[in-house]
Amino acid sequence: MKLKLAAFVFGLLAFVGVQAQTVQDGLALIHGERYNEAGELFKKLAESSNSADNQYYLGYYYLKTNQLDEAQKAFEKGLTIDDKSYLNQVGLGTVALGKGDRTKAKELFDQAEKKKGKDAEVLFRIGEAYTLFEKQNDPAEAIRLLDLAVKRDKDLADAYIAKGDALMLRNEGGPAATAYEYALTAKPNYPVAYNSIGQIYLRGKNYNLALENYKKAIEADANFAPAYKDLAELYFFAQKYKQAAENFDLYIQKSGTTDPEMKLRAAQFAFTADDYAKSLQLLEDIKGKINNPITLRMYGWSYFKTNQPDQAIQNLNEFIKVAPDKVIGDDYKYLGRAYNQKATTGTGYDSTGMSYIMKGADMDTSKTEAAATYKELGGLFYAAKDYQNAATAYEKGIALDTAKATANDYYYEGLANFQYAGSITAPGAADANFADSATIANNKKALYMKSDSIFTTVTQKLPDWPYGYYWRASSLYNAYDRTENVEKGISAPHYQKLIELAEKDPDPSKYKNYLKIAYNYLALYSQNTLSDNAKAKEYWEKLLKIDPDNATAKEALGIAIAPAAGGKTAPKKQ
């Protein structure tokens, strides 16, 4: 007897445990995209009480998780239990609609409406069915039926939600928002309604109101997973990638989803948040579970970011091979960068890698992105002292998006041209190409003049930055015969501007090496061309102040120069 009593008690407790969770709990789990929990609950309800209604809601769970064959079995079983269960008939009609048989669906829906036209739940479920499938929807019919449903039960909050969804299928955001607000009237603080309103604002690019409503959904139910997912997308649009990744992680946690597509999206969010190790971990979680070539891209990008170039190259080459129609410029850029990671030439890049990066830039649909890539190439070439290619890359990058070109972009373009010109050596009389010496000299001068022109733009963009004027002066000094330059004072205005700005700086010592050159030049120009000895003396004294051992300045000022060991002191110049 004791054993029988114990068995009865434990059986009763199990029954109470199942009954403690209701159909409404299960529907809330579906709304919250906690599908695994919802499936367990509806299966338990169907097992504990094999009623037609429980079979319908089990079938509804299968509908919402796109398991149409399983849904059909549940609805058919519900009709076997009660052949007048019109909810299950609506369920079969919904399956038919999902499978593309609109005629059969309408026949089953019409029968149910005719027999149970006063049942708000039946009308609601028929109306909702017309909103569930992307290619098999009918917003007008859905709205007709849903209006009938709420007329019979004004507190049927989910019918208002379904009506809002139907209106959104027609891109009627304002009326849809009104429908969702009615849902809040029927069911105050309903997270589904807040979240749906947030989605409308997101589509309308009203990000502040979208954020406000998503937060209201979470305040109403901290476990409401869809709000975290939508928040992640909102933060992604706002380029707040860390917050986007954090909220999508919360979606994964709250929903308990094992959907490979959701894990792939999480990997993408982790990547944009610079969490490349986590991106790889998520990709490993879905390995073999998803037939999507995008995973190869994500592997390639993440392997590059974690300094695993061989794996990056392998995955990106495979992606380009199997999904050529999905390839974008960034795929070639990452492939090129991975090759550069393997460079052993000491230049910091690989020629194959550079060609792939250029290919990626040429594929970019955004001029801004293409421009940034060419500037990236320019930086690599410049660091390797390949000034000719650096100058070409910077020039192309600036030309692609001149409006957004910075002073720094022009600065390095100017330096690349300047350094390239300096690397050109005029041939001597014994060289085979001596006959071309005049042409080579002219080309060299043209490069210096080009660098001066580019540094002119730098000074226009940064009029108070001394370095721009120094490089203008230096470019012109090298473009002309140096004696001619000093005699004519060609570089003088730019050296004067350099001095003016540098001397006003709280710490002029950081310009010391540049000021030495400027003072020396202007002293010679004042002395020899302008015959302004007073001005020349001023510059010589300034030069001597920052360079006390400068022999030229001492000689010009008539200051005795210390003799070499064993020598005599030079006489003071009068």
Side-chain angles (χ1 to χ4, degrees):
M1 287 296 293
K2 287 182 179 179
L3 289 172
K4 287 181 180 180
L5 181 60
F8 173 76
V9 170
F10 283 118
L12 180 62
L13 288 172
F15 176 76
V16 170
V18 170
Q19 292 304 309
Q21 289 184 295
T22 66
V23 165
Q24 291 305 315
D25 294 326
L27 291 173
L29 290 171
I30 287 176
H31 287 316
E33 296 185 17
R34 295 161 64 182
Y35 295 118
N36 292 338
E37 293 176 68
E40 290 175 9
L41 173 55
F42 284 124
K43 287 171 188 175
K44 285 180 182 177
L45 288 172
E47 289 167 4
S48 65
S49 177
N50 196 19
S51 67
D53 278 0
N54 281 344
Q55 286 299 320
Y56 168 75
Y57 288 109
L58 176 60
Y60 182 75
Y61 154 74
Y62 285 126
L63 277 177
K64 294 293 284 185
T65 53
N66 200 32
Q67 301 178 69
L68 296 185
D69 290 338
E70 292 299 316
Q72 183 169 334
K73 291 175 188 176
F75 296 139
E76 287 172 345
K77 188 171 181 180
L79 283 168
T80 300
I81 296 169
D82 179 0
D83 61 1
K84 293 183 179 179
S85 174
Y86 291 100
L87 272 180
N88 280 288
Q89 185 170 318
V90 170
L92 286 175
T94 307
V95 170
L97 188 64
K99 291 183 175 181
D101 191 344
R102 295 178 72 94
T103 302
K104 182 178 179 181
K106 188 173 188 320
E107 179 184 333
L108 290 166
F109 291 154
D110 286 349
Q111 288 176 7
E113 184 182 0
K114 183 177 180 181
K115 294 290 185 178
K116 301 289 284 184
K118 294 183 179 180
D119 188 322
E121 180 77 7
V122 169
L123 293 169
F124 157 46
R125 294 300 176 186
I126 301 172
E128 182 191 36
Y130 281 117
T131 70
L132 295 178
F133 306 104
E134 184 179 355
K135 295 181 179 179
Q136 302 293 338
N137 58 61
D138 187 339
E141 184 65 358
I143 291 166
R144 180 187 73 82
L145 289 155
L146 293 164
D147 281 342
L148 289 173
V150 296
K151 186 176 181 180
R152 285 160 176 73
D153 183 356
K154 63 182 176 60
D155 293 327
L156 195 53
D158 284 339
Y160 292 113
I161 297 294
K163 182 178 178 181
D165 294 346
L167 288 162
M168 286 305 295
L169 289 171
R170 300 202 302 199
N171 290 316
E172 297 180 21
T178 301
Y180 296 139
E181 286 164 359
Y182 272 118
L184 284 168
T185 301
K187 190 173 182 178
N189 221 28
Y190 193 24
V192 179
Y194 284 128
N195 205 65
S196 297
I197 294 169
Q199 289 173 337
I200 291 176
Y201 285 123
L202 182 63
R203 284 180 61 170
K205 297 184 179 180
N206 192 331
Y207 301 127
N208 289 333
L209 285 176
L211 178 65
E212 179 184 321
N213 280 279
Y214 292 146
K215 286 186 174 180
K216 284 182 180 178
I218 291 169
E219 287 169 6
D221 180 0
N223 291 314
F224 187 72
Y228 295 101
K229 180 174 64 176
D230 292 339
L231 257 180
E233 299 292 348
L234 173 62
Y235 282 126
F236 186 82
F237 285 139
Q239 297 183 343
K240 295 182 178 181
Y241 300 124
K242 186 176 180 181
Q243 292 99 315
E246 288 171 351
N247 278 278
F248 209 86
D249 281 347
L250 286 169
Y251 168 73
I252 297 287
Q253 293 170 25
K254 303 288 186 182
S255 67
T257 183
T258 54
D259 183 349
E261 292 290 346
M262 292 295 102
K263 290 290 185 76
L264 176 59
R265 188 67 175 141
Q268 292 168 328
F269 278 122
F271 181 88
T272 56
D274 298 332
D275 194 346
Y276 311 115
K278 183 165 189 177
S279 181
L280 285 169
Q281 176 200 323
L282 287 161
L283 289 169
E284 285 297 307
D285 288 347
I286 60 174
K287 198 168 190 176
K289 299 176 184 177
I290 185 171
N291 184 24
N292 188 334
I294 296 300
T295 58
L296 293 168
R297 168 189 285 159
M298 293 302 302
Y299 267 119
W301 292 13
S302 296
Y303 277 130
F304 163 74
K305 288 290 192 176
T306 52
N307 296 311
Q308 300 178 73
D310 289 325
Q311 294 93 322
I313 291 168
Q314 178 186 340
N315 279 276
L316 286 169
N317 276 327
E318 182 66 14
F319 174 65
I320 291 166
K321 178 182 176 182
V322 302
D325 57 319
K326 296 183 183 297
V327 174
I328 58 175
D330 278 352
D331 297 318
Y332 282 109
K333 292 179 198 175
Y334 278 109
L335 180 60
R337 291 163 186 153
Y339 274 105
N340 284 349
Q341 280 182 332
K342 290 167 60 68
T344 58
T345 59
T347 61
Y349 63 81
D350 177 272
S351 58
T352 301
M354 298 298 266
S355 65
Y356 276 131
I357 295 173
M358 286 183 199
K359 185 172 184 176
D362 291 338
M363 285 180 66
D364 274 330
T365 54
S366 164
K367 287 187 176 182
T368 299
E369 290 180 11
T373 304
Y374 271 102
K375 293 169 195 174
E376 173 189 346
L377 290 167
L380 289 168
F381 283 128
Y382 190 90
K385 299 184 179 180
D386 184 349
Y387 300 121
Q388 182 177 8
N389 280 322
T392 301
Y394 276 119
E395 182 175 8
K396 188 162 187 177
I398 290 169
L400 279 167
D401 194 7
T402 305
K404 292 185 180 178
T406 66
N408 195 58
D409 297 332
Y410 284 104
Y411 178 67
Y412 277 100
E413 184 195 4
L415 283 180
N417 279 280
F418 183 92
Q419 300 287 12
Y420 175 37
S423 69
I424 298 172
T425 303
D431 293 338
N433 60 340
F434 179 68
D436 298 325
S437 59
T439 301
I440 292 170
N442 285 333
N443 289 341
K444 184 169 183 171
K445 179 177 181 179
L447 284 169
Y448 280 125
M449 294 302 292
K450 184 175 183 179
S451 69
D452 171 59
S453 176
I454 295 165
F455 288 124
T456 299
T457 303
V458 174
T459 60
Q460 290 168 350
K461 287 181 172 290
L462 295 174
D464 296 325
W465 195 52
Y467 295 111
Y469 300 98
Y470 169 79
W471 286 107
R472 281 210 67 190
S474 192
S475 296
L476 292 169
Y477 185 72
N478 285 279
Y480 292 89
D481 173 81
R482 293 176 181 182
T483 301
E484 177 191 5
N485 187 298
V486 176
E487 286 178 352
K488 294 182 177 178
I490 295 171
S491 294
H494 312 303
Y495 280 133
Q496 287 166 348
K497 190 66 177 178
L498 162 68
I499 292 168
E500 175 194 331
L501 294 170
E503 289 181 346
K504 286 194 300 186
D505 192 281
D507 181 19
S509 64
K510 62 188 173 186
Y511 304 107
K512 179 179 177 180
N513 291 331
Y514 302 94
L515 287 170
K516 286 180 185 179
I517 297 169
Y519 290 146
N520 190 82
Y521 177 98
L522 290 171
L524 289 170
Y525 172 62
S526 300
Q527 182 176 293
N528 299 330
T529 301
L530 301 179
S531 299
D532 188 342
N533 292 327
K535 196 68 177 174
K537 182 183 178 184
E538 179 185 334
Y539 285 125
W540 289 127
E541 287 173 343
K542 286 184 176 183
L543 175 57
L544 207 58
K545 186 175 181 180
I546 62 172
D547 186 11
D549 297 324
N550 190 284
T552 306
K554 284 185 175 182
E555 182 180 357
L557 292 169
I559 297 173
I561 301 173
K568 294 182 180 180
T569 303
K572 183 176 180 181
K573 190 174 181 179
Q574 299 299 315

